[in-house]
Amino acid sequence: MELPDFMSYANRFTPTGFVEKISRIAKRAGAKLVYAALILFYTLQSNKISIKDKAIIVGALGYLISPLDVVPDAIPIAGLGDDLAVLVYVLKKVWVDIDPSVKERAKEKLNDWFDDDEIKEIDELFD
């Protein structure tokens, strides 16, 4: 198996690249995954979180936008399951340090891609 040229994905590791990726996969990924990713993304921009926590957040978000996955994203339903599992794992580790305003900002951003019924899914994020 030939590995992809990771440097060709460098532009995706930017705030703009991240938002573009999320907007492309939002409906397919579901509100839970998008909410978790947005919380981590916004938390990463905060100066209220430790370098250690930022490092694990970068790893989780990098896994989300990476072309390599344990389960390829192109596989329906299961394809983004591993991404969600990684995001939720990291989110649980840093949850107590996340500012409530970050959670609200992420929830507000969901309105760009989801209707109210879909947004209700985020209440079951850790289920």
Side-chain angles (χ1 to χ4, degrees):
M1 178 174 141
E2 187 175 321
L3 293 176
D5 175 14
F6 287 105
M7 293 313 293
S8 66
Y9 293 92
N11 64 330
R12 294 188 185 171
F13 289 89
T14 65
T16 303
F18 173 79
V19 172
E20 287 174 4
K21 165 80 177 198
I22 290 295
S23 67
R24 280 195 315 273
I25 68 165
K27 282 294 189 181
R28 187 167 52 98
K32 283 185 193 179
L33 184 144
V34 173
Y35 182 60
L38 288 171
I39 289 175
L40 292 174
F41 179 70
Y42 294 144
T43 298
L44 188 60
Q45 298 170 2
S46 169
N47 59 1
K48 297 177 182 176
I49 194 146
S50 73
I51 295 295
K52 177 186 167 201
D53 286 347
K54 284 186 177 193
I56 63 171
I57 290 171
V58 166
L61 294 177
Y63 184 77
L64 173 64
I65 63 175
S66 170
L68 292 180
D69 276 343
V70 172
V71 180
D73 292 346
I75 297 174
I77 301 172
L80 292 168
D82 61 321
D83 297 272
L84 179 59
V86 168
L87 294 175
V88 169
Y89 174 78
V90 171
L91 200 53
K92 282 184 177 183
K93 290 187 107 16
V94 300
W95 189 255
V96 295
D97 296 324
I98 296 174
D99 191 279
S101 66
V102 167
K103 296 172 191 175
E104 190 58 36
R105 182 177 174 198
K107 192 172 184 178
E108 287 173 8
K109 185 68 175 164
L110 290 179
N111 290 315
D112 290 352
W113 300 302
F114 301 99
D115 62 32
D116 290 340
D117 289 338
E118 293 169 312
I119 292 173
K120 287 179 185 175
E121 289 180 20
I122 68 170
D123 295 335
E124 303 163 0
L125 183 62
F126 294 125
D127 293 343

